[in-house]
Amino acid sequence: MKIGYDRDADIIVKGFHVGDFVRLVADQGGDLGSGRAGDWGLVTAVDAAGRLTIRRAGYSAPRNATLVSLSAVPPRLVRPCDANGRPKALQAERGSLSAALWGGQWDRRG
């Protein structure tokens, strides 16, 4: 996942990548929305608009579940989780410019 900062310098998720684990924090809306708050799984695709395809069979649902994956899930409906579906704390990416600036890792003498 891509980590960034908001205007208050709080760590936020700027985007998700294939292979990230996520958990829905709200029901997926719309006529075709079938994801429910609490469903979680592995991100298998991210479209150009940032919407996610999440494989839930084998994660929050049995491997032989009728509904294998959720499609077109807006990133605002999910939060990062671990491989067991537990919420994951956000941490600054190591080596990022923002982390170096906020963490005081650069020597400013010179």
Side-chain angles (χ1 to χ4, degrees), residues 6-52:
D6 65 9
R7 292 181 185 181
D8 297 325
D10 293 326
I11 298 173
I12 60 170
V13 176
K14 294 279 220 172
F16 292 97
H17 299 133
V18 171
D20 290 338
F21 285 99
V22 294
R23 180 181 195 93
L24 269 71
V25 294
D27 291 349
Q28 188 179 6
D31 294 337
L32 300 176
S34 50
R36 302 286 174 243
D39 286 346
W40 62 278
L42 184 70
V43 175
T44 58
V46 181
D47 69 12
R51 292 180 302 249
L52 311 172

Side-chain angles (χ1 to χ4, degrees), residues 1-7 9-15 90-93 96 98 102:
M1 82 188 91
K2 183 175 180 181
I3 302 292
Y5 296 90
D6 65 9
R7 292 181 185 181
D10 293 326
I11 298 173
I12 60 170
V13 176
K14 294 279 220 172
L90 297 177
Q91 297 177 349
E93 295 175 334
S96 73
S98 297
W102 287 104

Side-chain angles (χ1 to χ4, degrees), residues 20-23 40-41 59 79-89:
D20 290 338
F21 285 99
V22 294
R23 180 181 195 93
W40 62 278
Y59 298 101
R79 297 293 178 270
C81 68
D82 65 12
N84 295 313
R86 291 184 296 257
K88 185 176 179 182

Side-chain angles (χ1 to χ4, degrees), residues 46-71:
V46 181
D47 69 12
R51 292 180 302 249
L52 311 172
T53 300
I54 303 166
R55 179 172 179 80
R56 62 185 281 277
Y59 298 101
S60 65
R63 289 192 190 282
N64 60 354
T66 304
L67 181 64
V68 174
S69 65
L70 306 172
S71 300

